[in-house]
Amino acid sequence: MWQDWLLELLKGFGKLFLNPVFYLSFLFAAYLGVARVKKERRHFTVRAQNAYFELKQLLPMGIIIGLCISVFSIGLVLVVPMEFVVFTGIITIVLALIGKTRMLSPVYTAGLGIIVSSVSLFLGWDYFLFSKNNLSSSEYIFPTAVILLGLLIISEGIFVRNNGVKATSPRLKKSRRGQAIGVHLLERAWILPVFLFIPSGLLTIPFEWWPMFTVGNQTYSLLLVPFLIGSKMEVQGEHPIIAIRNVGRNIIILGSIMVVGGAAAYLYPLASIALVLVAIIGREWITRKQKSKEKNKSFYFSRKNNGVVILGIVPDSPADKMGLKIGEMISKVNSIPVQDKNQLYKALQKNSAHCKLEVFDANGEIRFVQRALYEGDHHELGLLLIPDEKVHGNEAV
Protein backbone atom coordinates (compact mmCIF):
# COMPACT_ATOMS: atom_id res chain seq x y z
CA MET A 1 0.00 0.00 0.00
CA TRP A 2 2.79 2.44 0.87
CA GLN A 3 4.34 1.82 -2.55
CA ASP A 4 1.14 3.17 -4.16
CA TRP A 5 1.26 6.26 -1.97
CA LEU A 6 4.92 6.84 -2.82
CA LEU A 7 4.17 6.47 -6.51
CA GLU A 8 1.31 8.96 -6.33
CA LEU A 9 3.45 11.40 -4.38
CA LEU A 10 6.09 11.25 -7.11
CA LYS A 11 3.51 11.70 -9.85
CA GLY A 12 1.92 14.58 -7.97
CA PHE A 13 5.36 16.17 -7.58
CA GLY A 14 5.86 15.93 -11.33
CA LYS A 15 2.76 18.07 -11.94
CA LEU A 16 4.58 20.95 -10.25
CA PHE A 17 6.57 21.47 -13.45
CA LEU A 18 3.38 21.73 -15.52
CA ASN A 19 2.15 24.69 -13.48
CA PRO A 20 2.99 28.10 -15.05
CA VAL A 21 2.94 29.74 -11.60
CA PHE A 22 6.12 27.81 -10.74
CA TYR A 23 8.11 29.39 -13.59
CA LEU A 24 6.48 32.79 -13.22
CA SER A 25 7.60 32.89 -9.59
CA PHE A 26 11.28 32.87 -10.58
CA LEU A 27 10.75 35.55 -13.21
CA PHE A 28 8.82 37.69 -10.73
CA ALA A 29 11.53 37.37 -8.04
CA ALA A 30 14.18 38.27 -10.60
CA TYR A 31 12.15 41.31 -11.63
CA LEU A 32 11.88 42.44 -7.98
CA GLY A 33 15.64 42.12 -7.55
CA VAL A 34 16.53 44.08 -10.69
CA ALA A 35 13.97 46.81 -9.92
CA ARG A 36 15.27 47.14 -6.35
CA VAL A 37 18.90 47.49 -7.46
CA LYS A 38 17.98 50.19 -9.98
CA LYS A 39 16.16 52.22 -7.34
CA GLU A 40 18.95 51.82 -4.76
CA ARG A 41 21.57 52.93 -7.28
CA ARG A 42 19.40 55.93 -8.18
CA HIS A 43 19.25 56.93 -4.51
CA PHE A 44 22.74 55.99 -3.29
CA THR A 45 24.86 55.24 -6.42
CA VAL A 46 25.42 51.73 -4.96
CA ARG A 47 23.08 48.84 -4.21
CA ALA A 48 22.55 47.34 -0.76
CA GLN A 49 22.12 43.75 -1.95
CA ASN A 50 22.85 42.18 -5.34
CA ALA A 51 20.03 41.52 -7.81
CA TYR A 52 19.96 37.79 -6.97
CA PHE A 53 18.95 38.34 -3.34
CA GLU A 54 15.19 37.96 -3.97
CA LEU A 55 15.77 34.79 -5.99
CA LYS A 56 17.77 33.28 -3.13
CA GLN A 57 14.87 33.93 -0.72
CA LEU A 58 12.24 32.43 -3.03
CA LEU A 59 12.38 28.74 -2.15
CA PRO A 60 14.31 27.64 0.99
CA MET A 61 11.81 28.61 3.69
CA GLY A 62 8.86 27.83 1.41
CA ILE A 63 9.97 24.22 1.02
CA ILE A 64 10.07 23.72 4.79
CA ILE A 65 6.71 25.39 5.45
CA GLY A 66 5.15 23.69 2.43
CA LEU A 67 6.28 20.29 3.70
CA CYS A 68 4.64 20.94 7.07
CA ILE A 69 1.36 22.01 5.46
CA SER A 70 1.48 19.03 3.08
CA VAL A 71 1.82 16.59 5.97
CA PHE A 72 -1.14 18.28 7.66
CA SER A 73 -3.16 18.28 4.41
CA ILE A 74 -2.50 14.64 3.58
CA GLY A 75 -2.99 13.47 7.15
CA LEU A 76 -6.44 15.08 7.40
CA VAL A 77 -7.27 14.51 3.71
CA LEU A 78 -8.04 18.17 3.06
CA VAL A 79 -9.80 18.15 -0.30
CA VAL A 80 -10.21 21.21 -2.55
CA PRO A 81 -11.88 21.44 -5.98
CA MET A 82 -9.72 21.62 -9.08
CA GLU A 83 -11.53 24.85 -9.90
CA PHE A 84 -9.89 26.40 -6.83
CA VAL A 85 -6.40 25.46 -8.05
CA VAL A 86 -7.01 26.76 -11.58
CA PHE A 87 -8.69 30.03 -10.58
CA THR A 88 -6.11 30.76 -7.88
CA GLY A 89 -3.35 30.20 -10.44
CA ILE A 90 -5.00 32.51 -12.98
CA ILE A 91 -5.49 35.28 -10.39
CA THR A 92 -1.86 34.89 -9.25
CA ILE A 93 -0.54 35.14 -12.80
CA VAL A 94 -2.57 38.27 -13.56
CA LEU A 95 -1.50 40.04 -10.35
CA ALA A 96 2.17 39.12 -10.86
CA LEU A 97 2.18 40.30 -14.47
CA ILE A 98 0.83 43.73 -13.48
CA GLY A 99 3.33 43.96 -10.61
CA LYS A 100 0.89 43.98 -7.67
CA THR A 101 3.19 42.41 -5.08
CA ARG A 102 1.00 43.29 -2.08
CA MET A 103 -2.02 41.66 -3.72
CA LEU A 104 -0.14 38.35 -3.98
CA SER A 105 -1.11 37.69 -0.38
CA PRO A 106 -3.08 34.39 -0.27
CA VAL A 107 -5.97 36.38 1.17
CA TYR A 108 -6.52 37.81 -2.31
CA THR A 109 -5.26 35.02 -4.60
CA ALA A 110 -6.59 31.95 -2.77
CA GLY A 111 -9.50 33.89 -1.24
CA LEU A 112 -10.76 35.08 -4.60
CA GLY A 113 -10.07 31.58 -5.95
CA ILE A 114 -12.53 30.17 -3.41
CA ILE A 115 -15.17 32.77 -4.28
CA VAL A 116 -14.89 32.25 -8.05
CA SER A 117 -14.88 28.45 -7.58
CA SER A 118 -18.07 28.71 -5.55
CA VAL A 119 -19.72 30.73 -8.31
CA SER A 120 -18.59 28.24 -10.97
CA LEU A 121 -20.08 25.31 -9.07
CA PHE A 122 -23.32 27.16 -8.33
CA LEU A 123 -23.75 28.07 -12.01
CA GLY A 124 -22.58 24.70 -13.29
CA TRP A 125 -19.93 26.13 -15.58
CA ASP A 126 -18.50 23.60 -18.02
CA TYR A 127 -15.36 25.24 -19.38
CA PHE A 128 -11.94 23.72 -19.97
CA LEU A 129 -11.44 21.04 -17.26
CA PHE A 130 -14.66 21.79 -15.38
CA SER A 131 -17.61 19.44 -15.25
CA LYS A 132 -21.16 20.38 -14.34
CA ASN A 133 -21.66 20.18 -10.61
CA ASN A 134 -23.63 21.93 -7.95
CA LEU A 135 -22.56 22.97 -4.48
CA SER A 136 -24.81 20.53 -2.66
CA SER A 137 -22.92 17.54 -3.99
CA SER A 138 -19.59 18.81 -2.72
CA GLU A 139 -20.48 21.31 -0.03
CA TYR A 140 -17.86 20.11 2.44
CA ILE A 141 -15.03 20.95 0.07
CA PHE A 142 -15.29 24.66 0.80
CA PRO A 143 -14.71 24.51 4.57
CA THR A 144 -11.50 22.59 3.80
CA ALA A 145 -10.57 25.30 1.29
CA VAL A 146 -11.02 27.92 4.04
CA ILE A 147 -8.80 25.85 6.36
CA LEU A 148 -6.20 25.76 3.58
CA LEU A 149 -6.58 29.53 3.16
CA GLY A 150 -5.92 29.96 6.87
CA LEU A 151 -2.76 27.84 6.62
CA LEU A 152 -1.57 29.89 3.65
CA ILE A 153 -2.17 33.12 5.57
CA ILE A 154 -0.22 31.76 8.54
CA SER A 155 2.58 30.91 6.11
CA GLU A 156 2.56 34.47 4.80
CA GLY A 157 2.89 35.73 8.37
CA ILE A 158 5.84 33.42 8.99
CA PHE A 159 7.51 34.54 5.76
CA VAL A 160 7.08 38.21 6.67
CA ARG A 161 8.10 37.82 10.31
CA ASN A 162 11.15 35.58 9.79
CA ASN A 163 12.38 36.34 6.27
CA GLY A 164 10.92 39.76 5.50
CA VAL A 165 13.10 41.41 8.14
CA LYS A 166 16.24 40.37 6.27
CA ALA A 167 17.84 43.08 4.16
CA THR A 168 14.94 45.45 3.62
CA SER A 169 15.66 48.00 0.92
CA PRO A 170 16.70 51.53 2.06
CA ARG A 171 15.21 54.45 0.13
CA LEU A 172 15.15 58.23 0.26
CA LYS A 173 12.08 60.43 0.05
CA LYS A 174 11.00 63.96 0.87
CA SER A 175 8.89 64.82 3.89
CA ARG A 176 6.03 67.29 3.60
CA ARG A 177 8.46 70.00 4.69
CA GLY A 178 10.83 69.09 1.89
CA GLN A 179 13.44 67.47 4.14
CA ALA A 180 15.22 64.29 3.09
CA ILE A 181 14.23 61.25 5.15
CA GLY A 182 14.96 57.57 4.93
CA VAL A 183 12.49 54.71 4.63
CA HIS A 184 12.78 50.95 4.36
CA LEU A 185 10.81 48.91 1.84
CA LEU A 186 9.92 45.24 2.10
CA GLU A 187 8.93 43.86 -1.30
CA ARG A 188 9.50 40.16 -1.62
CA ALA A 189 7.95 36.96 -2.97
CA TRP A 190 8.12 33.33 -1.88
CA ILE A 191 7.04 30.00 -3.41
CA LEU A 192 5.02 27.71 -1.16
CA PRO A 193 4.61 24.23 -2.72
CA VAL A 194 1.77 22.26 -1.09
CA PHE A 195 0.37 18.78 -1.81
CA LEU A 196 -3.42 18.93 -2.21
CA PHE A 197 -6.12 16.34 -2.75
CA ILE A 198 -8.30 16.91 -5.83
CA PRO A 199 -11.54 14.86 -5.92
CA SER A 200 -12.09 12.97 -9.17
CA GLY A 201 -15.83 13.64 -9.05
CA LEU A 202 -15.38 17.36 -9.62
CA LEU A 203 -13.90 17.20 -13.09
CA THR A 204 -13.46 14.96 -16.10
CA ILE A 205 -9.78 14.15 -16.27
CA PRO A 206 -8.62 14.47 -19.88
CA PHE A 207 -5.37 12.58 -19.30
CA GLU A 208 -5.30 8.83 -18.85
CA TRP A 209 -2.06 9.01 -16.91
CA TRP A 210 -3.48 11.38 -14.23
CA PRO A 211 -2.65 9.85 -10.80
CA MET A 212 -5.74 8.56 -9.01
CA PHE A 213 -6.12 6.46 -5.89
CA THR A 214 -8.73 5.70 -3.28
CA VAL A 215 -9.11 7.23 0.20
CA GLY A 216 -12.04 5.59 1.98
CA ASN A 217 -14.80 5.27 -0.61
CA GLN A 218 -13.66 8.21 -2.74
CA THR A 219 -11.00 8.59 -5.40
CA TYR A 220 -8.67 11.60 -5.42
CA SER A 221 -5.84 13.09 -7.40
CA LEU A 222 -2.76 14.24 -5.51
CA LEU A 223 -1.24 17.46 -6.84
CA LEU A 224 1.75 19.56 -5.75
CA VAL A 225 0.54 23.14 -6.17
CA PRO A 226 2.95 26.12 -6.05
CA PHE A 227 1.47 29.19 -4.35
CA LEU A 228 3.26 32.47 -5.06
CA ILE A 229 3.05 34.61 -1.93
CA GLY A 230 4.09 38.26 -2.01
CA SER A 231 4.34 41.05 0.54
CA LYS A 232 5.02 44.76 0.28
CA MET A 233 5.18 47.42 2.98
CA GLU A 234 7.06 50.66 3.64
CA VAL A 235 8.40 51.60 7.07
CA GLN A 236 9.42 55.12 8.10
CA GLY A 237 8.20 55.66 11.68
CA GLU A 238 10.07 52.90 13.52
CA HIS A 239 12.82 50.36 13.11
CA PRO A 240 11.91 48.11 10.14
CA ILE A 241 12.53 44.89 12.08
CA ILE A 242 10.04 45.89 14.79
CA ALA A 243 7.38 47.07 12.33
CA ILE A 244 7.65 44.05 10.02
CA ARG A 245 7.58 41.53 12.85
CA ASN A 246 4.45 43.15 14.30
CA VAL A 247 2.71 42.92 10.92
CA GLY A 248 3.82 39.30 10.54
CA ARG A 249 2.43 38.45 13.96
CA ASN A 250 -0.93 40.01 13.09
CA ILE A 251 -1.08 38.04 9.84
CA ILE A 252 -0.41 34.79 11.73
CA ILE A 253 -3.26 35.63 14.13
CA LEU A 254 -5.60 36.27 11.17
CA GLY A 255 -4.63 32.95 9.61
CA SER A 256 -5.25 31.10 12.87
CA ILE A 257 -8.74 32.62 13.06
CA MET A 258 -9.44 31.39 9.51
CA VAL A 259 -8.33 27.84 10.37
CA VAL A 260 -10.69 27.74 13.35
CA GLY A 261 -13.45 29.34 11.28
CA GLY A 262 -12.99 26.80 8.48
CA ALA A 263 -13.34 23.94 10.95
CA ALA A 264 -16.50 25.51 12.37
CA ALA A 265 -17.88 26.00 8.83
CA TYR A 266 -18.47 22.24 8.53
CA LEU A 267 -21.65 22.92 10.49
CA TYR A 268 -22.77 25.49 7.91
CA PRO A 269 -20.67 25.22 4.70
CA LEU A 270 -22.09 28.34 3.04
CA ALA A 271 -20.45 30.39 5.81
CA SER A 272 -17.15 29.67 4.03
CA ILE A 273 -17.75 32.55 1.63
CA ALA A 274 -18.38 34.93 4.53
CA LEU A 275 -15.13 33.75 6.13
CA VAL A 276 -13.20 34.59 2.96
CA LEU A 277 -14.63 38.12 3.04
CA VAL A 278 -13.65 38.39 6.71
CA ALA A 279 -10.10 37.34 5.78
CA ILE A 280 -9.87 40.01 3.06
CA ILE A 281 -11.22 42.70 5.38
CA GLY A 282 -8.87 41.56 8.16
CA ARG A 283 -5.83 41.67 5.89
CA GLU A 284 -6.76 45.15 4.67
CA TRP A 285 -7.20 46.25 8.28
CA ILE A 286 -3.68 45.04 9.12
CA THR A 287 -2.28 47.04 6.19
CA ARG A 288 -4.25 50.19 7.04
CA LYS A 289 -3.34 49.93 10.72
CA GLN A 290 0.36 49.76 9.88
CA LYS A 291 0.14 52.76 7.53
CA SER A 292 -1.83 54.79 10.08
CA LYS A 293 0.72 53.94 12.77
CA GLU A 294 3.51 55.13 10.48
CA LYS A 295 1.81 58.48 9.83
CA ASN A 296 1.36 59.18 13.54
CA LYS A 297 5.04 58.70 14.36
CA SER A 298 8.03 60.94 13.73
CA PHE A 299 10.51 59.85 11.08
CA TYR A 300 12.88 57.17 12.37
CA PHE A 301 15.53 57.76 9.70
CA SER A 302 16.10 61.52 9.61
CA ARG A 303 18.88 64.00 10.38
CA LYS A 304 19.74 64.25 14.08
CA ASN A 305 21.55 66.93 16.02
CA ASN A 306 23.69 64.50 18.00
CA GLY A 307 24.81 62.05 15.34
CA VAL A 308 24.35 60.34 11.98
CA VAL A 309 21.70 57.63 11.67
CA ILE A 310 22.65 54.54 9.63
CA LEU A 311 20.02 54.02 6.92
CA GLY A 312 21.72 51.08 5.20
CA ILE A 313 24.89 49.02 5.10
CA VAL A 314 26.61 47.58 2.04
CA PRO A 315 27.19 43.81 2.57
CA ASP A 316 30.81 42.71 3.16
CA SER A 317 31.91 46.33 3.62
CA PRO A 318 34.03 47.50 6.61
CA ALA A 319 30.84 48.76 8.30
CA ASP A 320 29.29 45.31 7.92
CA LYS A 321 32.39 43.61 9.28
CA MET A 322 32.49 46.00 12.25
CA GLY A 323 29.00 44.84 13.20
CA LEU A 324 27.24 48.15 12.60
CA LYS A 325 23.45 47.83 12.33
CA ILE A 326 20.69 49.67 10.52
CA GLY A 327 19.09 52.25 12.81
CA GLU A 328 22.18 52.81 14.95
CA MET A 329 23.55 56.35 15.31
CA ILE A 330 27.21 57.31 14.96
CA SER A 331 27.97 60.20 17.31
CA LYS A 332 31.76 60.41 17.01
CA VAL A 333 34.36 59.37 14.43
CA ASN A 334 37.99 59.25 15.59
CA SER A 335 36.86 61.17 18.72
CA ILE A 336 35.36 63.96 16.57
CA PRO A 337 31.61 64.68 17.02
CA VAL A 338 29.65 64.37 13.75
CA GLN A 339 26.16 65.57 12.82
CA ASP A 340 25.94 64.86 9.11
CA LYS A 341 27.50 62.87 6.30
CA ASN A 342 29.98 65.58 5.35
CA GLN A 343 31.35 65.85 8.90
CA LEU A 344 31.60 62.07 9.12
CA TYR A 345 33.59 61.95 5.89
CA LYS A 346 36.00 64.66 7.05
CA ALA A 347 36.51 62.90 10.39
CA LEU A 348 37.42 59.70 8.56
CA GLN A 349 40.11 61.57 6.64
CA LYS A 350 41.84 62.49 9.93
CA ASN A 351 43.10 58.93 10.05
CA SER A 352 42.66 57.21 6.71
CA ALA A 353 44.26 53.96 7.92
CA HIS A 354 42.09 53.42 10.99
CA CYS A 355 38.67 54.48 12.25
CA LYS A 356 37.16 54.44 15.72
CA LEU A 357 33.41 55.00 16.05
CA GLU A 358 31.24 55.91 19.01
CA VAL A 359 27.83 54.36 18.31
CA PHE A 360 24.42 54.43 19.99
CA ASP A 361 22.40 51.25 19.32
CA ALA A 362 18.62 51.01 18.90
CA ASN A 363 18.22 50.93 22.71
CA GLY A 364 20.25 54.12 23.19
CA GLU A 365 23.22 52.27 24.72
CA ILE A 366 26.67 53.45 23.68
CA ARG A 367 29.39 51.19 22.32
CA PHE A 368 32.74 51.63 20.58
CA VAL A 369 33.81 49.92 17.37
CA GLN A 370 37.05 50.27 15.49
CA ARG A 371 38.77 48.79 12.49
CA ALA A 372 41.81 49.29 10.31
CA LEU A 373 40.99 50.57 6.82
CA TYR A 374 42.81 49.10 3.83
CA GLU A 375 43.20 50.36 0.31
CA GLY A 376 40.45 48.83 -1.80
CA ASP A 377 37.93 48.53 1.05
CA HIS A 378 34.50 48.66 -0.55
CA HIS A 379 33.20 52.28 -0.59
CA GLU A 380 35.39 53.02 2.45
CA LEU A 381 32.97 52.23 5.30
CA GLY A 382 29.98 51.16 3.20
CA LEU A 383 27.35 53.24 5.02
CA LEU A 384 24.17 54.51 3.37
CA LEU A 385 23.17 57.78 5.04
CA ILE A 386 20.66 60.61 4.82
CA PRO A 387 22.10 63.28 2.45
CA ASP A 388 23.11 66.69 3.72
CA GLU A 389 20.53 69.40 3.06
CA LYS A 390 22.67 71.32 0.60
CA VAL A 391 23.92 68.25 -1.26
CA HIS A 392 21.98 66.89 -4.19
CA GLY A 393 21.76 63.12 -4.30
CA ASN A 394 23.53 60.74 -1.97
CA GLU A 395 26.31 58.26 -2.00
CA ALA A 396 27.88 55.55 0.13
CA VAL A 397 30.38 56.78 2.70
Side-chain angles (χ1 to χ4, degrees):
M1 182 64 180
W2 66 269
Q3 293 92 337
D4 295 335
W5 276 83
L6 179 59
L7 179 62
E8 300 307 329
L9 284 171
L10 292 175
K11 289 181 178 179
F13 176 79
K15 305 305 175 296
L16 172 71
F17 301 100
L18 299 178
N19 196 316
V21 174
F22 178 73
Y23 301 99
L24 178 64
S25 300
F26 290 92
L27 295 175
F28 186 71
Y31 160 76
L32 291 181
V34 172
R36 174 186 52 78
V37 168
K38 287 183 177 179
K39 290 180 180 178
E40 289 175 350
R41 288 189 184 279
R42 188 183 310 134
H43 288 218
F44 303 103
T45 72
V46 295
R47 48 90 179 139
Q49 297 284 342
N50 62 43
Y52 300 102
F53 180 79
E54 281 75 8
L55 275 172
K56 294 177 182 178
Q57 311 305 310
L58 187 64
L59 264 176
M61 183 175 289
I63 292 176
I64 297 174
I65 299 176
L67 179 62
C68 295
I69 296 179
S70 296
V71 171
F72 185 84
S73 172
I74 294 174
L76 296 183
V77 194
L78 295 181
V79 183
V80 297
M82 186 63 184
E83 287 86 340
F84 165 78
V85 176
V86 174
F87 282 127
T88 299
I90 292 174
I91 294 170
T92 299
I93 291 172
V94 171
L95 292 175
L97 289 178
I98 62 177
K100 298 297 184 180
T101 309
R102 187 180 77 84
M103 300 299 290
L104 288 174
S105 165
V107 165
Y108 308 106
T109 55
L112 293 177
I114 293 175
I115 293 176
V116 179
S117 299
S118 303
V119 173
S120 73
L121 292 178
F122 267 124
L123 300 180
W125 290 353
D126 192 16
Y127 303 125
F128 190 42
L129 296 177
F130 307 144
S131 61
K132 293 181 179 179
N133 289 279
N134 53 62
L135 187 62
S136 61
S137 64
S138 2
E139 58 185 6
Y140 290 104
I141 285 177
F142 292 96
T144 60
V146 173
I147 293 176
L148 175 62
L149 173 61
L151 294 175
L152 294 176
I153 296 172
I154 291 174
S155 301
E156 179 194 359
I158 295 174
F159 283 134
V160 170
R161 186 174 176 82
N162 294 342
N163 184 264
V165 297
K166 296 180 180 179
T168 50
S169 179
R171 304 287 171 85
L172 294 173
K173 64 186 298 187
K174 292 289 186 180
S175 67
R176 293 182 179 179
R177 297 181 178 180
Q179 297 177 339
I181 62 169
V183 301
H184 269 260
L185 180 70
L186 163 63
E187 186 173 12
R188 200 162 299 165
W190 305 273
I191 292 181
L192 182 66
V194 179
F195 274 105
L196 298 176
F197 283 112
I198 310 298
S200 60
L202 287 180
L203 69 160
T204 301
I205 304 299
F207 312 110
E208 294 181 357
W209 43 263
W210 195 276
M212 304 297 297
F213 58 93
T214 300
V215 178
N217 296 322
Q218 298 292 327
T219 55
Y220 298 89
S221 171
L222 190 61
L223 203 62
L224 183 59
V225 180
F227 292 94
L228 176 59
I229 297 178
S231 183
K232 182 178 181 179
M233 62 178 289
E234 184 179 274
V235 181
Q236 67 180 34
E238 58 185 330
H239 197 288
I241 291 180
I242 296 175
I244 292 172
R245 283 180 175 170
N246 286 338
V247 170
R249 179 199 61 201
N250 292 335
I251 296 174
I252 292 173
I253 293 174
L254 176 63
S256 302
I257 293 174
M258 287 301 105
V259 171
V260 175
Y266 277 97
L267 300 176
Y268 188 66
L270 291 180
S272 301
I273 305 302
L275 285 170
V276 173
L277 296 177
V278 169
I280 294 176
I281 294 173
R283 186 64 182 87
E284 281 295 317
W285 178 81
I286 292 173
T287 299
R288 302 300 175 187
K289 179 183 177 182
Q290 187 267 332
K291 289 183 177 181
S292 176
K293 186 178 180 180
E294 290 287 325
K295 290 181 180 180
N296 294 329
K297 287 190 173 184
S298 58
F299 302 120
Y300 190 89
F301 296 98
S302 60
R303 295 191 65 196
K304 309 293 183 182
N305 294 325
N306 55 341
V308 180
V309 178
I310 300 175
L311 176 58
I313 296 176
V314 178
D316 297 321
S317 64
D320 188 21
K321 295 174 182 178
M322 282 192 289
L324 295 176
K325 305 294 182 183
I326 293 173
E328 292 185 325
M329 184 174 67
I330 301 173
S331 61
K332 291 183 180 180
V333 177
N334 293 329
S335 300
I336 302 174
V338 295
Q339 294 180 326
D340 55 40
K341 186 192 70 172
N342 188 47
Q343 291 180 2
L344 188 148
Y345 179 78
K346 289 182 178 179
L348 283 174
Q349 301 307 307
K350 295 294 183 179
N351 189 348
S352 59
H354 187 273
C355 71
K356 180 180 180 181
L357 308 180
E358 184 176 306
V359 181
F360 287 91
D361 62 19
N363 297 320
E365 297 180 357
I366 191 171
R367 65 189 181 95
F368 298 90
V369 295
Q370 56 185 345
R371 185 181 189 274
L373 297 179
Y374 304 98
E375 184 178 357
D377 270 343
H378 187 56
H379 294 285
E380 300 217 4
L381 283 185
L383 295 172
L384 303 181
L385 307 172
I386 305 295
D388 298 339
E389 291 298 323
K390 295 183 180 181
V391 178
H392 297 285
N394 195 25
E395 60 184 10
V397 175

